[in-house]
Structures are given as C-alpha cells and as structure tokens.
Amino acid sequence: MQLRFTRFAYQELQDAIEYYDIQVEGLGSRFKESLELGIKRIKEHPEAWEKYSESTRKYTMGKFPFKIIYNLENDLITIIAIANSHRKPNYWFEDL
C-alpha cells in the first residue's frame, strides 16, 4: 500500500506539531507518534474505518481531537486532511 499526503494535509500536520510543541514541550512528538500509529492502522486495514463521504474515510485519533481523512484508490492511500475536530466540519472539503 502506497501513501501520499496532499500539500494541504502535510501543512496541517506541520501546523499541529508546532502548535502542540508550543503548548507543552514534546507534545508535538506525541501527536506525530499518534498520527503515525493511525496511518499504520489505515495501511493495514484501509477499508476498516468509517466512510466519511462518498469517496473518503476517516480515522479518529484517540488522544487528540483530530481525524485523518483519506481516500483509497487501488493501492494508493491519499491523506486529504489532518482535520481538527474542533474546527468547522468539512472545512477541508472546500480545498479539494
């Protein structure tokens, strides 16, 4: 299974890591570890996670208020958004 991030999702990831590191030293690293665990689970069972729209699925991160929104097409997983659950729902959808 191949994986890629949209430019938008990659920027969200970097912003979240930076934000959490400003809040508490090392928290950004814990966020990244949690995200990596989620991506590992998605890669192992890409169709196991809840459908979010017609073409996307979501993985909810446990300890952080974020969802990994992704699309599965053949052997490619595209991370569309690292969506903050406290923001306006589907804000990322407008950027597709």
Side-chain angles (χ1 to χ4, degrees), residues 20-33 64:
Y20 282 120
D21 271 340
I22 289 170
Q23 301 306 307
V24 176
E25 186 176 335
L27 191 56
S29 294
R30 284 191 270 167
F31 174 81
K32 186 176 178 186
E33 289 170 7
F64 293 92

Side-chain angles (χ1 to χ4, degrees), residues 38-79:
I39 288 173
K40 179 180 183 249
R41 289 176 174 168
I42 290 168
K43 287 174 87 173
E44 289 172 350
H45 305 286
E47 295 184 29
W49 312 107
E50 180 181 352
K51 280 198 160 232
Y52 195 64
S53 72
E54 186 68 31
S55 62
T56 62
R57 293 182 177 271
K58 72 174 179 177
Y59 173 90
T60 302
M61 294 173 61
K63 295 182 180 182
F64 293 92
F66 282 82
K67 297 175 280 205
I68 302 171
I69 310 297
Y70 67 97
N71 175 284
L72 175 62
E73 192 170 327
N74 299 321
D75 202 27
L76 176 65
I77 296 168
T78 302
I79 306 296

